[in-house]
CSV table of all heavy atoms in Angstrom, one decimal:
chain,number,residue,atom,x,y,z
A,1584,ILE,N,24.7,-5.1,-10.3
A,1584,ILE,CA,25.8,-5.9,-10.2
A,1584,ILE,C,26.5,-5.9,-11.5
A,1584,ILE,O,26.0,-6.3,-12.5
A,1584,ILE,CB,25.4,-7.4,-9.8
A,1584,ILE,CG1,24.5,-7.4,-8.5
A,1584,ILE,CG2,26.6,-8.3,-9.7
A,1584,ILE,CD1,25.3,-6.9,-7.3
A,1585,LYS,N,27.8,-5.4,-11.5
A,1585,LYS,CA,28.6,-5.3,-12.7
A,1585,LYS,C,29.1,-6.6,-13.2
A,1585,LYS,O,29.7,-7.3,-12.4
A,1585,LYS,CB,29.7,-4.3,-12.4
A,1585,LYS,CG,30.5,-3.9,-13.7
A,1585,LYS,CD,31.6,-2.9,-13.4
A,1585,LYS,CE,32.3,-2.5,-14.7
A,1585,LYS,NZ,33.4,-1.5,-14.4
A,1586,ILE,N,28.8,-6.9,-14.4
A,1586,ILE,CA,29.2,-8.2,-15.0
A,1586,ILE,C,30.4,-7.9,-15.9
A,1586,ILE,O,31.4,-8.6,-15.8
A,1586,ILE,CB,28.1,-8.9,-15.8
A,1586,ILE,CG1,26.8,-9.0,-14.9
A,1586,ILE,CG2,28.6,-10.2,-16.4
A,1586,ILE,CD1,27.1,-9.9,-13.7
A,1587,THR,N,30.3,-6.9,-16.8
A,1587,THR,CA,31.4,-6.5,-17.6
A,1587,THR,C,31.4,-5.0,-17.6
A,1587,THR,O,30.6,-4.3,-16.9
A,1587,THR,CB,31.3,-7.0,-19.1
A,1587,THR,OG1,30.1,-6.3,-19.7
A,1587,THR,CG2,31.1,-8.5,-19.1
A,1588,ASP,N,32.4,-4.4,-18.3
A,1588,ASP,CA,32.4,-2.9,-18.3
A,1588,ASP,C,31.2,-2.3,-19.0
A,1588,ASP,O,30.8,-1.1,-18.7
A,1588,ASP,CB,33.7,-2.4,-19.1
A,1588,ASP,CG,34.9,-2.7,-18.4
A,1588,ASP,OD1,34.9,-2.9,-17.1
A,1588,ASP,OD2,36.0,-2.8,-19.0
A,1589,SER,N,30.5,-3.0,-19.8
A,1589,SER,CA,29.3,-2.5,-20.5
A,1589,SER,C,28.0,-3.2,-20.1
A,1589,SER,O,27.0,-2.9,-20.7
A,1589,SER,CB,29.5,-2.6,-22.0
A,1589,SER,OG,29.7,-4.0,-22.4
A,1590,PHE,N,28.0,-4.1,-19.2
A,1590,PHE,CA,26.8,-4.9,-18.9
A,1590,PHE,C,26.7,-5.1,-17.4
A,1590,PHE,O,27.7,-5.5,-16.7
A,1590,PHE,CB,26.8,-6.2,-19.6
A,1590,PHE,CG,25.6,-7.0,-19.3
A,1590,PHE,CD1,24.3,-6.6,-19.8
A,1590,PHE,CD2,25.6,-8.2,-18.5
A,1590,PHE,CE1,23.2,-7.4,-19.5
A,1590,PHE,CE2,24.5,-8.9,-18.3
A,1590,PHE,CZ,23.3,-8.5,-18.8
A,1591,SER,N,25.5,-4.8,-16.8
A,1591,SER,CA,25.3,-5.0,-15.4
A,1591,SER,C,23.9,-5.5,-15.2
A,1591,SER,O,23.0,-5.3,-16.1
A,1591,SER,CB,25.5,-3.7,-14.6
A,1591,SER,OG,24.6,-2.7,-15.0
A,1592,ILE,N,23.6,-6.2,-14.1
A,1592,ILE,CA,22.3,-6.8,-13.8
A,1592,ILE,C,21.7,-6.1,-12.5
A,1592,ILE,O,22.4,-6.2,-11.5
A,1592,ILE,CB,22.4,-8.3,-13.6
A,1592,ILE,CG1,22.8,-9.0,-14.9
A,1592,ILE,CG2,21.0,-8.8,-13.2
A,1592,ILE,CD1,23.0,-10.5,-14.8
A,1593,PRO,N,20.6,-5.4,-12.6
A,1593,PRO,CA,20.0,-4.9,-11.4
A,1593,PRO,C,19.4,-6.0,-10.6
A,1593,PRO,O,18.6,-6.8,-11.0
A,1593,PRO,CB,18.9,-4.0,-12.0
A,1593,PRO,CG,19.2,-3.7,-13.4
A,1593,PRO,CD,19.9,-5.0,-13.8
A,1594,VAL,N,19.8,-6.1,-9.3
A,1594,VAL,CA,19.3,-7.1,-8.4
A,1594,VAL,C,18.5,-6.3,-7.3
A,1594,VAL,O,18.9,-5.3,-6.8
A,1594,VAL,CB,20.5,-7.9,-7.7
A,1594,VAL,CG1,20.0,-8.8,-6.7
A,1594,VAL,CG2,21.2,-8.6,-8.8
A,1595,PHE,N,17.4,-6.9,-6.9
A,1595,PHE,CA,16.5,-6.2,-5.9
A,1595,PHE,C,16.0,-7.1,-4.9
A,1595,PHE,O,15.8,-8.3,-5.1
A,1595,PHE,CB,15.4,-5.4,-6.6
A,1595,PHE,CG,14.5,-6.2,-7.5
A,1595,PHE,CD1,13.4,-6.9,-6.9
A,1595,PHE,CD2,14.7,-6.4,-8.8
A,1595,PHE,CE1,12.6,-7.6,-7.7
A,1595,PHE,CE2,13.9,-7.1,-9.6
A,1595,PHE,CZ,12.8,-7.8,-9.1
A,1596,GLY,N,15.8,-6.6,-3.7
A,1596,GLY,CA,15.1,-7.3,-2.6
A,1596,GLY,C,14.0,-6.4,-2.1
A,1596,GLY,O,14.1,-5.1,-2.1
A,1597,GLN,N,12.9,-7.0,-1.6
A,1597,GLN,CA,11.7,-6.2,-1.2
A,1597,GLN,C,11.0,-6.8,-0.1
A,1597,GLN,O,10.7,-8.0,-0.1
A,1597,GLN,CB,10.8,-6.0,-2.4
A,1597,GLN,CG,9.6,-5.0,-2.2
A,1597,GLN,CD,8.8,-4.8,-3.4
A,1597,GLN,OE1,8.7,-5.7,-4.3
A,1597,GLN,NE2,8.2,-3.7,-3.5
A,1598,VAL,N,10.7,-6.0,0.9
A,1598,VAL,CA,9.9,-6.5,2.0
A,1598,VAL,C,8.5,-5.9,1.8
A,1598,VAL,O,8.4,-4.6,1.6
A,1598,VAL,CB,10.4,-6.0,3.4
A,1598,VAL,CG1,9.5,-6.4,4.5
A,1598,VAL,CG2,11.8,-6.7,3.6
A,1599,VAL,N,7.4,-6.7,1.8
A,1599,VAL,CA,6.1,-6.2,1.6
A,1599,VAL,C,5.2,-6.7,2.7
A,1599,VAL,O,5.2,-7.9,3.1
A,1599,VAL,CB,5.5,-6.8,0.2
A,1599,VAL,CG1,4.1,-6.2,0.0
A,1599,VAL,CG2,6.5,-6.4,-0.9
A,1600,ALA,N,4.4,-5.8,3.2
A,1600,ALA,CA,3.4,-6.1,4.2
A,1600,ALA,C,2.0,-5.7,3.8
A,1600,ALA,O,1.9,-4.6,3.2
A,1600,ALA,CB,3.7,-5.5,5.6
A,1601,ASN,N,1.0,-6.5,4.1
A,1601,ASN,CA,-0.4,-6.1,3.8
A,1601,ASN,C,-1.2,-6.1,5.1
A,1601,ASN,O,-1.6,-7.2,5.6
A,1601,ASN,CB,-1.0,-7.1,2.8
A,1601,ASN,CG,-2.4,-6.7,2.4
A,1601,ASN,OD1,-3.1,-6.1,3.1
A,1601,ASN,ND2,-2.8,-7.2,1.2
A,1602,PRO,N,-1.3,-5.0,5.8
A,1602,PRO,CA,-2.0,-4.9,7.1
A,1602,PRO,C,-3.4,-5.4,7.0
A,1602,PRO,O,-3.9,-6.0,8.0
A,1602,PRO,CB,-1.9,-3.5,7.4
A,1602,PRO,CG,-0.7,-2.9,6.7
A,1602,PRO,CD,-0.7,-3.7,5.4
A,1603,CYS,N,-4.1,-5.2,5.8
A,1603,CYS,CA,-5.5,-5.6,5.7
A,1603,CYS,C,-5.6,-7.2,5.8
A,1603,CYS,O,-6.5,-7.7,6.5
A,1603,CYS,CB,-6.0,-5.1,4.4
A,1603,CYS,SG,-7.8,-5.5,4.1
A,1604,SER,N,-4.8,-7.9,5.1
A,1604,SER,CA,-4.9,-9.4,5.1
A,1604,SER,C,-4.0,-10.0,6.1
A,1604,SER,O,-4.0,-11.2,6.3
A,1604,SER,CB,-4.5,-9.9,3.7
A,1604,SER,OG,-3.1,-9.6,3.4
A,1605,GLN,N,-3.2,-9.1,6.8
A,1605,GLN,CA,-2.3,-9.6,7.9
A,1605,GLN,C,-1.2,-10.6,7.3
A,1605,GLN,O,-0.8,-11.5,7.9
A,1605,GLN,CB,-3.1,-10.4,9.0
A,1605,GLN,CG,-4.0,-9.5,9.7
A,1605,GLN,CD,-3.3,-8.4,10.6
A,1605,GLN,OE1,-2.6,-8.7,11.5
A,1605,GLN,NE2,-3.5,-7.2,10.2
A,1606,LYS,N,-0.7,-10.3,6.1
A,1606,LYS,CA,0.3,-11.1,5.4
A,1606,LYS,C,1.6,-10.2,5.2
A,1606,LYS,O,1.5,-9.0,5.1
A,1606,LYS,CB,-0.2,-11.6,4.0
A,1606,LYS,CG,-1.4,-12.5,4.1
A,1606,LYS,CD,-1.1,-13.8,4.8
A,1606,LYS,CE,-2.4,-14.7,4.8
A,1606,LYS,NZ,-2.9,-15.1,3.5
A,1607,ALA,N,2.7,-10.9,5.1
A,1607,ALA,CA,4.0,-10.2,4.8
A,1607,ALA,C,4.8,-11.1,3.9
A,1607,ALA,O,4.7,-12.4,4.0
A,1607,ALA,CB,4.7,-9.9,6.1
A,1608,TYR,N,5.7,-10.5,3.1
A,1608,TYR,CA,6.4,-11.3,2.1
A,1608,TYR,C,7.8,-10.7,2.0
A,1608,TYR,O,8.0,-9.5,2.2
A,1608,TYR,CB,5.7,-11.2,0.7
A,1608,TYR,CG,4.2,-11.5,0.8
A,1608,TYR,CD1,3.3,-10.4,0.9
A,1608,TYR,CD2,3.8,-12.8,0.7
A,1608,TYR,CE1,2.0,-10.7,0.9
A,1608,TYR,CE2,2.4,-13.0,0.7
A,1608,TYR,CZ,1.5,-12.0,0.8
A,1608,TYR,OH,0.2,-12.2,0.9
A,1609,LEU,N,8.8,-11.5,1.6
A,1609,LEU,CA,10.1,-11.1,1.3
A,1609,LEU,C,10.4,-11.6,-0.1
A,1609,LEU,O,10.4,-12.8,-0.4
A,1609,LEU,CB,11.1,-11.7,2.3
A,1609,LEU,CG,12.6,-11.4,2.0
A,1609,LEU,CD1,12.8,-9.9,2.1
A,1609,LEU,CD2,13.5,-12.1,3.0
A,1610,VAL,N,10.7,-10.7,-1.0
A,1610,VAL,CA,10.8,-11.0,-2.4
A,1610,VAL,C,12.2,-10.7,-2.9
A,1610,VAL,O,12.8,-9.6,-2.5
A,1610,VAL,CB,9.8,-10.1,-3.3
A,1610,VAL,CG1,10.0,-10.5,-4.8
A,1610,VAL,CG2,8.4,-10.4,-2.8
A,1611,PHE,N,12.8,-11.5,-3.7
A,1611,PHE,CA,14.1,-11.3,-4.3
A,1611,PHE,C,13.9,-11.4,-5.9
A,1611,PHE,O,13.1,-12.2,-6.3
A,1611,PHE,CB,15.1,-12.4,-3.9
A,1611,PHE,CG,16.4,-12.3,-4.7
A,1611,PHE,CD1,17.4,-11.4,-4.4
A,1611,PHE,CD2,16.6,-13.2,-5.7
A,1611,PHE,CE1,18.6,-11.3,-5.1
A,1611,PHE,CE2,17.8,-13.2,-6.5
A,1611,PHE,CZ,18.8,-12.2,-6.2
Side-chain angles (χ1 to χ4, degrees):
I1584 304 299
K1585 186 176 180 180
I1586 306 300
T1587 68
D1588 290 338
S1589 59
F1590 180 71
S1591 62
I1592 297 179
V1594 176
F1595 56 87
Q1597 188 176 28
V1598 176
V1599 182
N1601 185 332
C1603 180
S1604 66
Q1605 298 292 295
K1606 299 291 181 64
Y1608 313 94
L1609 179 61
V1610 180
F1611 170 81

